[in-house]
Amino acid sequence: MLKTLMAQIKEYKKDSLKTPAYMILEVIMETFIPLLMASIVDNGVEKGDIHHIYKMGAIMVVMAAIGLFAGIMGGKYGAKASAGFAKNLRNAMYENIQTFSFSNIDKFSTAGLVTRMTTDVTNIQNAYQMILRMCMRAPASLICALIMAYFINAKIATVYLVAVLFLGGILFAIIKKTMKYFDTVFRKYDELNASVQENVTGIRVVKAFVREDYETSRFHAASSNVYRMFVKAESLIAFNAPVMQFTVYACILGISYLGAKMIVSSTLTTGELMSLLTYCMNILMSLMMLSMVFVMVTLSIASGERIAEVLNEKADLTNPKDADTVVPDGSIEFEHVSFGYQKEKEKAVLTDINLTIHSGETIGIIGGTGSAKTSLVNLISRLYDVTEGCVKVGGKDVRGYDLETLRNEVAVVLQKNVLFSGTILENLRWGDKNATREECEYACRLACADEFIQKMPDKYDTYIEQGGSNVSGGQKQRLCIARALLKKPKILVLDDSTSAVDTATDAKIREAFAKEIPGTTKLIIAQRISSIQNADKIIVMDDGKVNGFGTHEELLASNEIYRDVYGSQMGGSGDFDENGGEL
């Protein structure tokens, strides 16, 4: 974990080295000031030497100025190094997430990734700044003060040693107890973020079913869990202050008692006693700072491990050496393909799939809920890799292609349509960032989207809200189809992408495809047989296997499942499953 995180310091290494250097310089200046104060009292005030007082005073002012400058510079470079480190961690995580395949993404929850990139990174940033500043300053101050105290009077300095051991033991016990709570609290943060994300994403459903009170109670439960964990941890940390105060006052009493006796016996001067009391505060404040550092580091260990998980996760779909950068045509072959999300054979989603699809063909895909229709088409653009067998596009195994090349030639309109905040044109140009306005309008005419865009006040410059919340489901589907067409792909996959479109518009889209992009291989997953009955061939999926493959007429004559679906839809139910479920 440490190696993974430290690799992200990068250009902030110099700032990370300057910070502790300035901190040590500040400590050195602070350490010598009490000695100068003792000299002023013993050699200036008591002897009436005003020249000595002025001289030592001037040196103290210079040392204080140097210490102040060092403290300011340490703070400046510490802030720069920690903020830069946090920036690099966020960038590295985000960049790594962009390389993830679907199977990599499946390992993390959305809420968990958000927590890692916000709360966890902030914890690491705070801890790193404290390590650079306090973790160098506190031990250096402690060691220097102890050395000076022993140099002045070894007997009285023994009081410091006892206080250090006592306070160190108490702080160690507190930190050990709080670690368990801080390890738990971030899992509770994930639950909190998940609650917020689900509620905001599904706010329309929440209001439609009048479930605001239920969602509020869910959030309160998640928030209360975080609250309880922090209260337990902070309650233990709160013991720092009274233990610290007790130790400080005990030390002051002990030193004052022993120092007074030594002054009476002339073995200690008044100035030296004053210096010892100052070093007492330095030593105990250093311990207090160290305790704060350890608490923050303890808090950040859990965060660091979670960040390292994301950074160490490597994409399981990578480009091969000498990858092919040209897809010859839109032909597709499945050769003894088996696939499982968990990789174990007994959990296979697809089993022994054998299909040959010629370039330019229109293929319909139909099947019941959970029959693995989407899993089948996801293998074509290599969103997942097969477990067994191979998938070929243009006569070549998809694993031999450059991923960007392959996915530019295989446009997929996913089952869950997503639009981003921005204008309609900006959304369309996700398909081709260099597409002209005319090309965007042509793609929208093919997808039957132009007709509703022209009725909007700003037409193609109309702003789309986040998630496409200001357009209907059918409009969103047509915009997503147009976006895919702008890629000018050799293969177009429509994964139930016209389910929210009326049958007349669905027919217009299919007719436009047949006339305008005849050379593109089209795979259409549909709920309605009317959407695919004119396809060149139809695949009937059942329980992860191909149950039938042929034309509409062939399947009506030979495939019982297809015949039952056709009969139920023509009879008026319009659903694949007997219980009215989704196809």
Side-chain angles (χ1 to χ4, degrees):
M1 177 195 78
L2 196 59
K3 185 178 179 182
T4 301
L5 296 181
M6 291 300 102
Q8 299 306 320
I9 297 174
K10 295 180 180 177
E11 68 271 28
Y12 299 99
K13 287 180 181 177
K14 285 185 179 179
D15 295 321
S16 298
L17 293 173
K18 286 178 182 178
T19 304
Y22 277 117
M23 289 294 100
I24 291 172
L25 177 60
E26 182 186 18
V27 167
I28 291 171
M29 294 300 105
E30 287 181 356
T31 303
F32 280 106
I33 286 174
L35 286 180
L36 296 175
M37 290 171 60
S39 180
I40 287 175
V41 172
D42 293 337
N43 300 318
V45 175
E46 291 189 358
K47 294 181 179 180
D49 188 348
I50 191 69
H51 176 71
H52 183 79
I53 294 173
Y54 284 147
K55 181 181 177 183
M56 292 298 105
I59 294 172
M60 281 180 65
V61 169
V62 171
M63 285 191 166
I66 293 172
L68 177 63
F69 172 77
I72 292 171
M73 297 306 291
K76 173 188 171 182
Y77 287 113
K80 188 177 177 182
S82 59
F85 182 37
K87 178 201 73 173
N88 288 347
L89 284 175
R90 289 192 190 97
N91 289 345
M93 278 196 289
Y94 193 81
E95 288 170 9
N96 201 37
I97 290 168
Q98 298 308 305
T99 69
F100 285 177
S101 67
F102 281 16
S103 57
N104 292 119
I105 293 171
D106 291 342
K107 296 177 184 178
F108 302 96
S109 68
T110 304
L113 289 174
V114 170
T115 304
R116 284 168 166 86
M117 295 189 70
T118 52
T119 305
D120 288 332
V121 171
T122 301
N123 288 336
I124 292 294
Q125 178 180 345
N126 292 336
Y128 189 60
Q129 185 170 21
M130 290 192 76
I131 287 169
L132 290 180
R133 298 184 66 194
M134 299 299 116
C135 215
M136 292 304 298
R137 191 187 195 289
S141 180
L142 178 67
I143 292 166
C144 289
L146 277 173
I147 290 172
M148 288 298 182
Y150 270 95
F151 175 76
I152 293 169
N153 191 293
K155 186 177 179 181
I156 292 181
T158 308
V159 175
Y160 296 141
L161 187 59
V162 173
V164 166
L165 293 174
F166 170 75
L167 192 56
I170 296 293
L171 294 179
F172 177 77
I174 292 172
I175 291 164
K176 189 176 180 181
K177 289 283 286 183
T178 56
M179 280 184 68
K180 295 185 296 183
Y181 297 122
F182 285 131
D183 285 340
T184 306
V185 77
F186 294 106
R187 289 193 290 273
K188 302 300 180 185
Y189 262 126
D190 287 351
E191 293 174 12
L192 186 70
N193 284 340
S195 176
V196 174
Q197 180 195 353
E198 285 183 352
N199 182 268
V200 173
T201 304
I203 191 67
R204 287 168 176 77
V205 178
V206 172
K207 290 189 175 296
F209 285 88
V210 197
R211 299 285 281 176
E212 292 93 340
D213 290 342
Y214 171 74
E215 287 296 319
T216 301
S217 65
R218 275 188 66 207
F219 179 80
H220 283 171
S223 181
S224 295
N225 284 334
V226 175
Y227 166 76
R228 281 194 297 271
M229 287 298 106
F230 267 120
V231 165
K232 287 180 180 178
E234 297 293 346
S235 296
L236 288 171
I237 293 171
F239 279 105
N240 270 356
V243 170
M244 177 72 184
Q245 288 178 348
F246 170 78
T247 309
V248 168
Y249 294 140
C251 279
I252 291 173
L253 285 173
I255 293 168
S256 299
Y257 175 74
L258 293 173
K261 290 183 70 175
M262 289 184 177
I263 289 172
V264 171
S265 61
S266 301
T267 57
L268 188 72
T269 66
T270 306
E272 288 174 338
L273 177 60
M274 188 175 65
S275 297
L276 286 170
L277 288 171
T278 305
Y279 287 132
C280 170
M281 294 302 297
N282 284 355
I283 290 168
L284 297 178
M285 287 306 296
S286 297
L287 278 175
M288 192 64 179
M289 283 191 287
L290 276 176
S291 73
M292 292 170 61
V293 171
F294 281 126
V295 168
M296 185 56 71
V297 169
T298 301
L299 179 65
S300 67
I301 286 172
S303 294
E305 289 173 349
R306 286 157 56 83
I307 292 170
E309 279 180 15
V310 177
L311 293 176
N312 290 329
E313 180 72 20
K314 300 301 178 187
D316 53 17
L317 298 183
T318 54
N319 283 330
K321 290 182 180 178
D322 304 319
D324 289 318
T325 55
V326 177
V327 179
D329 55 57
S331 62
I332 305 167
E333 294 175 66
F334 288 80
E335 296 182 355
H336 302 287
V337 168
S338 294
F339 168 73
Y341 292 101
Q342 302 299 325
K343 303 298 182 185
E344 293 92 346
K345 270 190 174 181
E346 62 271 16
K347 294 184 180 178
V349 176
L350 293 167
T351 307
D352 197 29
I353 304 294
N354 289 282
L355 290 169
T356 299
I357 299 168
H358 300 295
S359 184
E361 283 189 326
T362 299
I363 304 296
I365 304 174
I366 197 166
T369 304
S371 59
K373 305 183 295 298
T374 300
S375 298
L376 180 75
V377 297
N378 280 344
L379 299 178
I380 298 170
S381 56
R382 207 184 168 205
L383 297 176
Y384 291 95
D385 263 344
V386 298
T387 307
E388 293 181 8
C390 72
V391 178
K392 293 182 178 179
V393 170
K396 300 176 183 178
D397 192 326
V398 293
R399 290 169 292 194
Y401 284 114
D402 172 73
L403 276 171
E404 186 176 346
T405 299
L406 176 66
R407 289 174 183 170
N408 278 332
E409 297 294 355
V410 182
V412 181
V413 183
L414 295 170
Q415 197 168 12
K416 294 181 180 179
N417 297 291
V418 176
L419 293 175
F420 299 90
S421 53
T423 65
I424 289 175
L425 271 178
E426 288 170 346
N427 270 277
L428 292 171
R429 284 173 177 151
W430 273 68
D432 179 2
K433 62 183 179 182
N434 297 316
T436 63
R437 192 183 187 93
E438 291 71 26
E439 288 174 325
C440 292
E441 290 177 1
Y442 174 69
C444 286
R445 285 195 293 273
L446 286 183
C448 294
D450 185 68
E451 56 190 50
F452 73 81
I453 294 173
Q454 294 297 342
K455 294 177 184 177
M456 292 179 167
D458 297 320
K459 297 183 172 55
Y460 283 85
D461 294 315
T462 299
Y463 190 82
I464 300 294
E465 301 292 340
Q466 186 176 10
S469 59
N470 60 332
V471 291
S472 70
Q475 290 171 340
K476 190 188 296 186
Q477 286 186 337
R478 283 179 276 176
L479 286 172
C480 289
I481 292 171
R483 181 174 64 188
L485 290 172
L486 277 171
K487 295 180 74 172
K488 301 179 181 66
K490 290 187 169 66
I491 299 170
L492 175 64
V493 178
L494 302 178
D495 186 357
D496 202 13
S497 302
T498 56
S499 59
V501 174
D502 61 87
T503 53
T505 304
D506 186 13
K508 286 181 185 178
I509 293 172
R510 286 185 281 108
E511 185 180 350
F513 285 176
K515 287 182 181 179
E516 303 294 338
I517 51 171
T520 299
T521 305
K522 297 166 281 292
L523 281 75
I524 304 170
I525 297 175
Q527 298 180 16
R528 301 183 290 245
I529 282 190
S530 60
S531 298
I532 58 172
Q533 65 182 13
N534 294 323
D536 296 313
K537 288 182 181 177
I538 299 167
I539 300 169
V540 180
M541 296 295 296
D542 181 43
D543 195 25
K545 298 177 183 177
V546 175
N547 186 271
F549 184 46
T551 63
H552 171 69
E553 292 76 16
E554 289 171 349
L555 291 173
L556 275 179
S558 62
N559 190 273
E560 185 178 348
I561 293 177
Y562 189 80
R563 194 163 48 243
D564 288 345
V565 178
Y566 181 79
S568 67
Q569 293 192 3
M570 294 304 103
S573 76
D575 296 313
F576 184 92
D577 298 318
E578 290 182 4
N579 62 0
E582 178 191 4
L583 289 180

